[in-house]
Amino acid sequence: MELFVDNFWHYPVLVVVGCMVGVINTLAGGGSLITLPILIFLGLPSNVANGTNRIALIMTAFSANMGYKSKGVSTFPFSIYIGLFALIGSLIGAYIAVDINDKLFNRILSVIMIIVILLILAGPKISTGNLNERLSGKNLVVSCFVFFLIGIYGGFVNAGIGFIIMLFLNVYNKMNLIRVNATKSVVILIYTIGAFMTFLFNDLVNFGYGFSLGFGTLFGAWWSSRYSVVRGEGIIKIFLLISVLLISVRSVSYTHLRAHETPEHLVCRLLLE
């Protein structure tokens, strides 16, 4: 109780952050590249931050999925097929993540931040408009295999995975951005439940922080999913650009601080936390 009182300000801050991240994750991706460093800064060990973040991801995906369904946007059963394969992969990734030490996790997260930014900036061009979707036959088989691999990464850390999913569904499966995000919300909801249970069984979840973050994401995801259907693909492209800029700034600051952190700075940071 004393810890809760001393750190009470953490909870409303996480609600506000969650609301913003709910919008980012629903319309674009990369929200975990923001929330994971914040949770670590607030004092959680890296693997606990990773497990705690899953609560927000589940609540974001659920709320976004409900928002898209309320507007009649669904890619069932394709989203279920690839989601189940991603679930299998996520169990493998989460199993690896539960025992990783803080120092190695922080290094991996820093590298992932840079790779995701490079992938977005130098990757394939996003297509818009009426596209000829490829969701069956060999395209479904390839998609299931790719999402099994995506699930491994998602179970391990999840950071930046929204961008990866969006690129694949748009470039390979030829979905427009509205249907891409509707599919993404279902897939992330399915595989994140599996990853979350793995962290939960290993006692690596802080429910206070997780539900505070998740509560904010409910509002952000619901509003942004419905708003994007009304406004169309143009608003998603704008948020993609905004997300890239935000995460670029966040990744530069995070990697710079970690790379140049002296023992004195480390002591000060731990005292502040």
Side-chain angles (χ1 to χ4, degrees):
M1 179 63 69
E2 182 180 351
L3 180 63
F4 177 83
V5 173
D6 290 343
N7 297 320
F8 180 77
W9 65 272
H10 291 181
Y11 300 95
V13 168
L14 286 173
V15 171
V16 174
V17 170
C19 190
M20 294 186 294
V21 168
V23 175
I24 291 172
N25 276 340
T26 301
L27 295 184
S32 292
L33 292 171
I34 297 172
T35 56
L36 282 173
I38 288 176
L39 290 170
I40 292 170
F41 176 79
L42 292 179
L44 296 185
S46 296
N47 52 4
V48 178
N50 199 355
T52 300
N53 190 52
R54 307 301 168 137
I55 296 177
L57 291 172
I58 291 172
M59 295 174 75
T60 302
F62 175 79
S63 183
N65 185 41
M66 291 299 100
Y68 283 116
K69 279 190 174 182
S70 72
K71 290 294 186 178
V73 182
S74 174
T75 58
F76 178 86
F78 176 77
S79 56
I80 301 297
Y81 294 149
I82 60 176
L84 290 175
F85 275 86
L87 171 62
I88 298 171
S90 74
L91 296 174
I92 299 172
Y95 178 79
I96 298 171
V98 294
D99 291 324
I100 196 168
N101 65 70
D102 286 2
K103 188 174 182 180
L104 178 57
F105 182 85
N106 288 332
R107 287 179 177 175
I108 292 174
L109 184 59
S110 298
V111 172
I112 287 172
M113 286 179 169
I114 297 171
I115 292 175
V116 169
I117 295 303
L118 292 176
L119 177 64
I120 297 167
L121 296 178
K125 183 179 178 181
I126 292 289
S127 301
T128 57
N130 294 321
L131 306 175
N132 186 21
E133 292 185 347
R134 304 187 300 185
L135 309 181
S136 59
K138 68 175 183 179
N139 296 308
L140 176 59
V141 174
V142 171
S143 298
C144 287
F145 175 72
V146 169
F147 273 88
F148 167 74
L149 299 178
I150 288 175
I152 294 176
Y153 173 70
F156 178 72
V157 67
N158 202 81
I161 200 168
F163 292 121
I164 298 171
I165 292 176
M166 290 184 75
L167 281 174
F168 183 81
L169 291 175
N170 181 258
V171 174
Y172 182 78
N173 295 113
K174 301 300 181 183
M175 286 186 179
N176 67 45
L177 293 180
I178 301 295
R179 288 172 61 79
V180 160
N181 279 336
T183 305
K184 181 182 69 177
S185 67
V186 176
V187 172
I188 292 178
L189 176 61
I190 293 173
Y191 80 69
T192 303
I193 291 175
F196 171 72
M197 295 305 295
T198 303
F199 285 100
L200 180 62
F201 289 151
N202 286 273
D203 197 26
L204 296 174
V205 178
N206 183 306
F207 284 97
Y209 284 178
F211 279 113
S212 296
L213 199 58
F215 183 73
T217 68
L218 285 175
F219 292 98
W222 172 261
W223 172 80
S224 57
S225 59
R226 291 171 56 83
Y227 183 70
S228 67
V229 175
V230 174
R231 291 295 302 271
E233 293 181 279
I235 194 66
I236 297 178
K237 296 191 76 172
I238 292 173
F239 269 90
L240 274 169
L241 177 60
I242 293 172
S243 297
V244 171
L245 293 175
L246 287 174
I247 293 165
S248 297
V249 172
R250 186 71 186 88
S251 64
V252 169
S253 62
Y254 182 78
T255 54
H256 176 80
L257 287 173
R258 289 297 186 188
H260 296 84
E261 189 170 53
T262 64
E264 293 79 9
H265 291 154
L266 176 60
V267 171
C268 291
R269 179 171 59 82
L270 291 176
L271 288 174
L272 287 173
E273 291 171 357

